[in-house]
Amino acid sequence: MKEDLKRIIEAAEQQILNAKSLPELLNLKSSFLGKKSELSQLMLKLRDLTPEERPAFGKAINDAKGVLDNLITEKQESLKSAEIDRQHKGSSVDLTMPGRRFNKGSLHPLTLIWREIEDVFISLGFEVAEGTDIEDEFHNFDALNTPQDHPSRNLADTFYVENSQLLRTHTSPVQIRTMERYVPPIRIISPGRAYRNDKIDATHSPVFHQVEALYVDENVSFADLKDTLNQFVVKMFGAGTKSRIRPHFFPFTEPSAEIDISCVACGGKGCRVCKESGWLEMGGAGMVDPNVFKHTGIDSEKYTGFAFGLGMDRIAMLKYDIKDIRVLFDNDLRVLKQFRNENR
Ligand code: PHE
C-alpha cells in the first residue's frame, strides 16, 4: 500500500504541473482528491490493516492530500495570471506607456494678494465688505463730499455708463454704503476693482485694484490710523517695514494724508525701485470728514473714524517683483505658471 501511495502522488504531481488550462486542472483536482479518487479508495482499505498500522497510514494519506491540494492551488494562481497576461497582450492597452501629464492650475498673483490682505485685516479685527463696480454719482462722489466741479468727475477721468451711473473711480463708495447700513462700531475693508480713464503704461491701467479700510467708533484717532497701517505693512512685507504719512488733500477726509512705505527692495536706503527716495507710494488716508458722516446719518459729534485706500496692484507688483502692471491683466500662461507653488 505504501508503494501505491507513492505512485499515486508522483503521478498526480506530474500531471498537475503539466496542466495547460484551468478546466484541465479542475478535472485533475476531482480525479485526485474527489470521492472516487485513488486516494479516497486507499482510505477504504485502512480496514484491512492492523489497528497498530492504521493511524500512521491514515496520516500519510491525509498528508498526501494536503500536498496535492497546495500544488493545485499554486498551479491555479499561475494559470490565472498567465491568462491575464495573454489577454493584455492581445488588447491594445500598453501597460508600459508613461501616464498622461496633467497640469496643475495656479491662482493669479492678484488673487493671492487679495486673500493675503483679507487675512491680515481679519486678524486685526476687520470684516470684509463688498461693493459693486457700477456705482451712482451719489455714492462715488456726492456723499464723499466731492464738489460738483471737482476734476475727477470729468468725462476725461471717469467712465460714465448711463443715467448718472458710472464705473466707480475708487473703492471709497463702499465706505458710504457700509455707513448707510450699519451703526458704529464699524471696522471693514473692501478690496475690489476701480476704473479711471487713464492711458495704459507700465504703471497705469484703466482698471486697477484698491483695498478700502474704514474704522468708525467713539474716540478713533489719527494714532489708530498710523498703528493700523504699521501693523498691516509689517504683516504684509515683513518686520522692519515702516509706513509714513505726508499731508495731502481728499474731499472725504480731514485731515488727509498720502501713505508711503519704506522701500521693500532696498529697505529704505534708496535704489532704482524707489527712485533713490527710500519710500514707495501706497495710497491715501485720513480722518472721515464730518460732511461724509452727515450724508450717512452717523452722528459726527459722537463718532470719529479713519479711512484709507491702498493700491493692490502696487502691492502685488512689489511683492512678486512684477515691473509692469499690464502683466497682471494679460493672463499670459508663462507668467501665471510661475505662481503654481504659491497657491494656498
Ligand atoms: N479714494 C482715494 C483714492 O482713490 C484713497 C483714499 C481712501 C483716501 C480713503 C482717503 C481715504 O485715491
Side-chain angles (χ1 to χ4, degrees), residues 130-158:
E130 273 183 64
T132 53
D133 288 15
I134 296 181
E135 265 295 355
D136 51 43
E137 273 189 281
F138 177 76
H139 290 90
N140 195 82
F141 292 125
D142 301 342
L144 285 162
N145 198 35
T146 310
Q148 280 300 328
D149 57 356
H150 193 278
S152 66
R153 293 195 187 230
N154 205 298
L155 272 175
D157 286 313
T158 300

Side-chain angles (χ1 to χ4, degrees), residues 277-293:
S277 73
W279 296 93
L280 299 164
E281 255 181 61
M282 273 294 144
M287 301 304 293
V288 179
D289 193 292
N291 279 334
V292 173
F293 280 140

Side-chain angles (χ1 to χ4, degrees), residues 16 54 73 98 103 145 182 192 206 241 253 260 277 284 293:
I16 290 169
R54 258 180 232 154
T73 310
N103 279 321
N145 198 35
Y182 301 102
T241 317
T253 44
D260 298 335
S277 73
F293 280 140

Side-chain angles (χ1 to χ4, degrees), residues 192-209:
R193 289 190 165 200
Y195 306 80
R196 279 178 208 172
N197 201 349
D198 280 335
K199 282 247 158 53
I200 303 177
D201 62 26
T203 52
H204 294 87
S205 163
V207 47
F208 57 101
H209 297 79

